[in-house]
Amino acid sequence: MDLLLFSHDRDYAAAALAGGVAGVVVDWEWRGKTERQSGHDTQINRGTPEDLVAMRAIAGERVVCRINNSEHRDAECLSAISHGASEIWLPMVRSVAEVEQCLRCIDGQARLGLMVETREAMRLGREFATLPLSRLYVGLHDYRIDTGNANMFAPIVDGTLDRFREDYPGAIGVAGITRPERGHPIPQRLLLAAMVRLRCDFGIARRAFRADVAPERIDEAVADIGAEVAALHARLPMLVEDDHRVLRNVILAMEPAQPRAARHAEPGFVEHDLACVP
C-alpha cells in the first residue's frame, strides 16, 4: 500500500521520499473551501506554482497537484503540468463531464486522479471505471459535509464504500495513515484493516504522521506500516470479519464531532487529520 504525503515543506518531503513515501501532493485547492467547510475541523492550503516547482525538483515524477474544480479548471490543469505535476487530482467531482473535460485538457501530458467527496461521485463508480484514471481517493470530510452525515467514518462500515468498490475496481484510497500502534479516535490498525478489506492501493499520511514520526525515522515508520499491511492481507476470513465488526462498533459509538472553524495552513507546511484531506 503506497503512502502519499500532502506537503509544501521541502525538507520534510525530501526526508519522506528518502524514507519510502511514494509521492508528494502539492495542494492548490482553496476556492470555495472556507464557505463549504465552515464549522468543520479542516485545513485549507494555498499552494503556489513555486511550491510545485520546488517539489518537482525533490520528487521528480512522484509529484501530484490537487487543483480547484471550478471555471478555472482547464487553466489550472495546464499550469500544473507546466510547473511539473506528473499527476493531477480533481476534487469535488459531481459529473462524468467534468472528468472528461479534464482528460481532454490534460491530453496525455499527466495522469488524472479524482477525489470522491460528493453524493454524485459516490454513485459514478461504474462510469469512472471506464475512464483512464490513475486513482480515486475518498475524501471523508467533504463527503460528510455533502451528505449531512454526522459520523464521518460511517461510509467505511455502512456498506457505502463496499458498494462503490464493487463498481470501481481500479486504484483507490480512503482515510489516513500513521504508525500502526497509534491513532485516535480510531486505532490505526483498525483503519488499516478496513483499507485492506476494501483493497485500497494507497493512503495519505494523516496529521498525526508528522507528529508521530521524526524525519530521521520515516523509513522505520513506512516499514512498520508495510509489515502491518502484509499481516492484515494474510488474515483468515474469520479474522477479517472480526476486525470489521470491532471497527463498526468503534465508529458507531463515536460522538459526532463538535463544529470547529476551518484553519488556514502556515506557509510551507500542510497538516492533515484522520480523514486526511482537508
Side-chain angles (χ1 to χ4, degrees):
M1 187 182 298
D2 286 341
L3 178 64
L4 279 71
L5 174 74
F6 271 78
S7 184
H8 302 158
D9 183 327
R10 302 175 192 183
D11 292 338
Y12 195 84
L17 290 162
V21 168
V24 178
V25 186
V26 174
D27 192 8
W28 286 3
E29 189 198 10
W30 60 269
R31 297 180 186 274
K33 290 191 75 170
T34 299
E35 296 79 15
R36 185 175 81 239
Q37 296 182 344
S38 177
H40 297 271
D41 184 18
T42 60
Q43 186 104 19
I44 298 173
N45 309 293
R46 285 176 176 259
T48 66
E50 291 73 25
D51 290 323
L52 184 52
V53 169
M55 285 300 164
R56 174 68 188 208
I58 294 167
E61 292 288 326
R62 295 182 289 169
V63 66
V64 180
C65 183
R66 178 169 69 173
I67 64 170
N68 290 280
N69 191 351
S70 70
E71 67 272 20
H72 305 282
R73 186 168 48 231
D74 284 2
E76 289 193 21
C77 273
L78 295 175
S79 179
I81 292 167
S82 68
H83 287 93
S86 296
E87 183 174 346
I88 292 167
W89 283 2
L90 183 66
M92 297 303 296
V93 173
R94 294 189 184 275
S95 72
V96 173
E98 294 171 346
V99 182
E100 291 176 335
Q101 179 186 349
C102 231
L103 286 166
R104 286 192 297 270
C105 180
I106 291 171
D107 193 26
Q109 299 174 82
R111 300 181 298 278
L112 178 64
L114 306 181
M115 311 288 291
V116 177
E117 303 169 296
T118 66
R119 288 166 290 182
E120 293 89 343
M122 195 65 79
R123 293 193 289 263
L124 289 172
R126 292 184 182 179
E127 288 80 358
F128 292 154
T130 68
L131 299 173
L133 302 172
S134 56
R135 62 182 116 205
L136 305 185
Y137 184 81
V138 179
L140 294 176
H141 260 309
D142 275 309
Y143 187 71
R144 173 181 63 174
I145 295 168
D146 195 67
T147 59
N149 193 336
N151 192 324
M152 179 169 65
F153 301 100
I156 299 175
V157 296
D158 67 5
T160 299
L161 290 181
D162 292 85
R163 289 188 293 272
F164 184 81
R165 201 64 175 114
E166 289 174 3
D167 291 338
Y168 185 78
I172 192 172
V174 61
I177 297 177
T178 187
R179 298 191 69 108
E181 72 276 11
R182 301 294 181 88
H184 178 79
I186 300 175
Q188 184 62 59
R189 184 192 172 280
L190 284 179
L191 278 179
L192 286 173
M195 294 179 206
V196 169
R197 190 184 66 82
L198 290 165
R199 308 187 310 283
C200 289
D201 307 271
F202 72 101
I204 295 177
R206 58 190 264 198
R207 181 185 304 169
F209 185 88
R210 180 152 182 163
D212 292 343
V213 184
E216 65 274 12
R217 305 196 69 177
I218 292 175
D219 57 345
E220 175 188 301
V222 171
D224 288 347
I225 292 165
E228 187 65 41
V229 168
L232 290 167
H233 273 292
R235 290 171 299 171
L236 296 173
M238 180 180 66
L239 297 179
V240 174
E241 289 305 313
D242 285 347
D243 284 335
H244 187 57
R245 188 178 308 109
V246 172
L247 178 62
R248 183 190 300 116
N249 291 338
V250 170
I251 288 175
L252 295 181
M254 289 173 60
E255 294 290 333
Q258 295 301 311
R260 293 174 63 184
R263 294 168 293 164
H264 291 266
E266 294 297 323
F269 176 53
V270 181
E271 279 193 314
H272 293 275
D273 60 14
L274 192 55
C276 65
V277 176

